[in-house]
């Protein structure tokens, strides 16, 4: 128990460091890029996101989760995944390379032909590194992942900024994405001593495919869900409008993924290690749930509160992104919780539940979006956000059916933090309302929200708050 606790603490510490560095650097570099580029530049790359995302899911095929769930992993398992994912990546790139003119014609932007052929190269590099990424994930090499990710972010963004400064417009975003994958692959090779060999045996693929295929289909569905609005918007609206939505979605995703990625780097490995102890697994899950809600609610509602500050950071050309960001942040507060539910089902060996629940969500959301397709962007984003939030109830229903996780316990774990965050943000908004200077107003909102939220945690004697403070003050997680 103590060994698992220490392993979890160290994993969370390095996971949090990795997520924080990633999001802070992405935000800083993103600000400079956004000031140099136009919404139309982001819109063109955003139109291709759904193709890259689906191809990326196909090459990974759910084998990271499958390898993590195995009790013992051998060289044959990693070797089979390496050659399978590499072969799939090359094949998919060839298909998309020749499909590039059709994609450009569909969206009505001829420049997408050449642009897509460069952007799609990124998932070839991603396919080559999947086995090494799975090795690092299974063994919770979060310290090494932090270093690799930091170097890749700095290097790739330096390339993107240099190209943007010299007038390469949307090409700077394409080469930024490609260089990031190349640097990450090199970092994985440096830290993971395992190497592929030519004695290819796909028997492990067949053995894992029953489990991983459900993860694969679910990942594809998730990518469709994440990029469905960009796809529809690319057909219905201008590149600039798509760019405004893409920028809002990017900042929302950076916000909630800071919490999601921190939790996910330990959630599945830890939950999978105790999947034969149902009661203990649910207790660990509930503690993770409280920790997730404790972080995500104030973080995402706070981000919505200061959304108007991004006009000063990014430039007035991004003003249309502000209302979209505020709407998306509401669902962003629940996304880390959804990710935790998903990890619970995967670690429990129920990838089928994960798949069907996600599929039903995407089908329902797509149907609703099609109903409102004639409306403006803001209305469609609002509907999409409401559907994401309401679907948390469906995940809980499935958790109760499969593992007898009580509704009342989950409500006790989530609602207090949601209410505390909402009160803190509401008071902060009212206090800062008379302040005319946007810089001072933003600072007041942040400080008041943080202080009031902490005060509520202390007065209510929230146990997770006390445990977090104990962790910060007494533990040495990086030792």
């Amino acid at each position: 128990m103590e060994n698992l606790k220490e392993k979890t603490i160290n994993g969370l510490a390095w996971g949090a460091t990795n997520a924080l560095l990633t999001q802070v650097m992405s935000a800083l570099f993103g600000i400079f890029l956004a000031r140099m580029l136009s919404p139309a530049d982001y819109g063109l790359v955003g139109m291709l996101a759904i193709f890259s995302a689906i191809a990326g899911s196909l090459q990974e095929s759910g084998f990271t989760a499958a390898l993590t769930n195995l009790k013992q992993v051998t060289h044959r398992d990693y070797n089979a995944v390496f050659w399978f994912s590499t072969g799939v990546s090359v094949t998919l790139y060839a298909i998309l390379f020749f499909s590039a003119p059709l994609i450009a014609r569909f969206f009505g932007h001829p420049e997408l032909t050449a642009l897509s052929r460069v952007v799609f190269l990124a998932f070839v590099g991603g396919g080559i590194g999947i086995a090494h990424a799975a090795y690092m994930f299974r063994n919770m090499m979060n310290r090494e992942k932090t270093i690799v990710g930091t170097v890749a972010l700095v290097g790739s963004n330096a390339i993107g900024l240099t190209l943007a400064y010299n007038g390469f417009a949307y090409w700077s975003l394409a080469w930024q994405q490609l260089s990031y994958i190349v640097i990450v692959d090199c970092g994985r090779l440096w830290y993971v001593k395992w190497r592929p060999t030519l004695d290819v045996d796909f028997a492990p693929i067949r053995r894992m495919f029953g489990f991983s295929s459900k993860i694969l289909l679910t990942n594809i569905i998730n990518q469709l869900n994440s990029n469905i609005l960009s796809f529809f918007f690319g057909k219905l609206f201008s590149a600039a409008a798509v760019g405004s939505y893409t920028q809002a979605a990017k900042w929302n995703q950076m916000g909630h993924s800071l919490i999601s990625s921190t939790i996910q780097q330990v959630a599945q490995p830890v939950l999978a290690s105790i999947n034969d102890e149902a009661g203990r697994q649910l207790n660990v899950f509930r503690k993770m749930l409280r920790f997730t809600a404790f972080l995500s609610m104030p973080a995402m509602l706070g981000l919505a509160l200061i959304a108007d500050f991004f006009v000063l950071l990014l430039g007035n050309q991004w003003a249309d992104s502000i209302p979209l960001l505020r709407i998306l942040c509401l669902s962003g507060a629940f996304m880390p919780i959804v990710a935790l539910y998903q990890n619970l089902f995967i670690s429990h060996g129920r990838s089928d539940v994960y798949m069907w629940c996600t599929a039903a969500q995407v089908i329902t959301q797509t149907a609703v979006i099609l109903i409102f397709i004639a409306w403006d962007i803001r209305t469609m984003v609002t509907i999409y956000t409401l559907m994401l939030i309401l679907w948390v109830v469906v995940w809980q229903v499935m958790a109760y059916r499969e593992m007898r996780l009580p509704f009342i316990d989950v409500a006790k774990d989530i609602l207090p933090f949601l209410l505390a965050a909402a009160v803190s943000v509401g008071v902060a908004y009212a206090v800062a309302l008379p302040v005319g200077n946007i810089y001072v107003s933003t600072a007041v909102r942040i400080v008041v929200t943080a202080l009031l939220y902490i005060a509520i945690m202390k007065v209510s004697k929230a146990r997770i708050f006390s445990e977090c403070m104990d962790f910060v003050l007494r533990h040495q997680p990086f030792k």
Side-chain angles (χ1 to χ4, degrees):
M1 184 70 170
E2 285 301 313
N3 181 52
L4 178 63
K5 184 177 180 179
E6 289 302 314
K7 199 172 183 182
T8 304
I9 288 173
N10 277 278
L12 280 172
W14 280 109
T17 302
N18 185 20
L20 184 61
L21 282 173
T22 298
Q23 302 310 329
V24 169
M25 287 192 296
S26 295
L28 291 174
F29 285 119
I31 289 169
F32 287 110
L33 270 174
R35 295 187 73 89
M36 295 182 192
L37 302 177
S38 69
D41 293 327
Y42 278 89
L44 287 172
V45 176
M47 293 174 193
L48 301 174
I50 193 167
F51 301 100
S52 295
I54 293 174
S57 296
L58 286 170
Q59 68 188 14
E60 196 271 340
S61 296
F63 290 121
T64 298
L67 288 169
T68 302
N69 265 31
L70 292 177
K71 292 298 181 183
Q72 290 185 335
V73 183
T74 65
H75 167 79
R76 289 175 64 247
D77 297 320
Y78 285 116
N79 202 52
V81 169
F82 174 84
W83 288 110
F84 180 85
S85 58
T86 300
V88 170
S89 299
V90 173
T91 302
L92 287 172
Y93 180 74
I95 293 172
L96 288 173
F97 181 92
F98 292 108
S99 301
L102 298 177
I103 296 172
R105 192 178 308 157
F106 176 81
F107 288 112
H109 290 277
E111 59 269 39
L112 286 177
T113 299
L115 179 64
S116 62
R117 287 170 173 169
V118 173
V119 169
F120 294 153
L121 276 172
F123 63 78
V124 176
I128 294 171
I130 283 173
H132 294 83
Y135 184 98
M136 297 180 79
F137 181 77
R138 176 184 170 85
N139 292 282
M140 294 175 70
M141 296 173 64
N142 292 333
R143 172 182 171 272
E144 291 79 5
K145 288 166 66 177
T146 300
I147 296 171
V148 171
T150 302
V151 172
L153 269 173
V154 173
S156 62
N157 278 288
I159 292 171
L161 286 171
T162 301
L163 291 173
Y165 180 77
N166 287 281
F168 281 83
Y170 50 80
W171 285 109
S172 58
L173 297 173
W175 287 105
Q176 176 199 35
Q177 292 180 17
L178 181 57
S179 59
Y180 176 83
I181 294 296
V182 172
I183 297 171
V184 166
D185 279 349
C186 293
R188 289 168 177 165
L189 287 171
W190 175 264
Y191 281 111
V192 178
K193 301 309 176 186
W194 174 84
R195 295 291 182 268
T197 56
L198 294 176
D199 52 330
V200 183
D201 177 10
F202 288 121
I205 297 293
R206 292 190 290 272
R207 177 163 50 91
M208 290 185 283
F209 199 70
F211 178 86
S212 69
S213 61
K214 299 180 182 69
I215 303 294
L216 164 63
L217 289 174
T218 309
N219 286 342
I220 292 175
I221 294 167
N222 270 329
Q223 296 301 339
L224 285 170
N225 186 37
S226 299
N227 295 282
I228 191 169
L229 288 184
S230 295
F231 181 79
F232 280 121
F233 291 169
K235 185 65 176 175
L236 297 171
F237 305 108
S238 67
V242 178
S244 295
Y245 166 75
T246 301
Q247 191 69 245
K250 171 190 170 184
W251 284 91
N252 173 57
Q253 200 269 337
M254 281 198 294
H256 70 70
S257 67
L258 175 61
I259 296 101
S260 296
S261 57
T262 298
I263 302 299
Q264 282 187 292
Q265 290 185 65
V266 299
Q268 195 200 339
V270 170
L271 291 171
S273 69
I274 53 174
N275 65 0
D276 53 349
E277 304 174 59
R280 185 183 175 196
Q281 188 186 56
L282 286 183
N283 287 335
V284 171
F285 171 79
R286 286 194 61 202
K287 179 166 281 192
M288 288 183 174
L289 186 61
R290 290 192 294 273
F291 180 67
T292 302
F294 167 71
L295 294 178
S296 67
M297 296 302 167
M300 296 311 298
L301 295 185
L303 181 60
L305 180 66
I306 61 170
D308 54 342
F309 184 67
F310 289 100
V311 168
L312 295 176
L313 293 177
L314 307 180
N316 289 327
Q317 69 268 32
W318 297 105
D320 291 341
S321 296
I322 294 175
L324 301 179
L325 174 58
R326 283 185 167 141
I327 296 168
L328 290 170
C329 282
L330 298 179
S331 61
F334 291 89
M335 290 304 98
I337 293 172
V338 171
L340 196 56
Y341 272 110
Q342 293 169 344
N343 277 281
L344 176 64
F345 286 114
I346 293 172
S347 64
H348 213 261
R350 296 309 308 268
S351 57
D352 55 333
V353 175
Y354 175 36
M355 178 186 70
W356 289 114
C357 191
T358 306
Q361 176 184 354
V362 173
I363 292 170
T364 304
Q365 285 180 328
T366 303
V368 173
I369 289 171
L370 289 173
I371 292 172
F372 290 91
I373 200 166
W375 292 58
D376 59 284
I377 286 182
R378 193 177 302 186
T379 301
M380 294 177 71
V381 171
T382 301
I383 297 298
Y384 174 79
T385 296
L386 288 174
M387 291 297 300
L388 286 175
I389 296 173
L390 291 173
W391 210 261
V392 177
V393 177
V394 178
W395 286 108
Q396 170 52 32
V397 169
M398 298 309 298
Y400 178 77
R401 290 181 58 184
E402 295 296 327
M403 303 159 210
R404 290 296 179 236
L405 178 62
F407 284 79
I408 188 67
D409 288 348
V410 171
K412 289 177 181 178
D413 292 336
I414 297 175
L415 291 181
F417 302 107
L418 173 60
L419 293 174
V423 169
S424 301
V425 167
V427 171
Y429 176 79
V431 170
L433 199 58
V435 181
N437 186 285
I438 185 63
Y439 295 100
V440 177
S441 175
T442 301
V444 169
R445 293 179 203 175
I446 293 172
V447 172
V448 172
T449 299
L451 291 178
L452 188 54
Y453 187 72
I454 292 172
I456 294 173
M457 293 297 103
K458 289 182 70 68
V459 170
S460 63
K461 297 180 180 179
R463 185 176 177 182
I464 196 68
F465 176 74
S466 301
E467 291 177 348
C468 288
M469 293 304 297
D470 179 69
F471 162 69
V472 171
L473 297 175
R474 299 185 183 182
H475 285 283
Q476 294 181 322
F478 298 101
K479 186 174 179 181

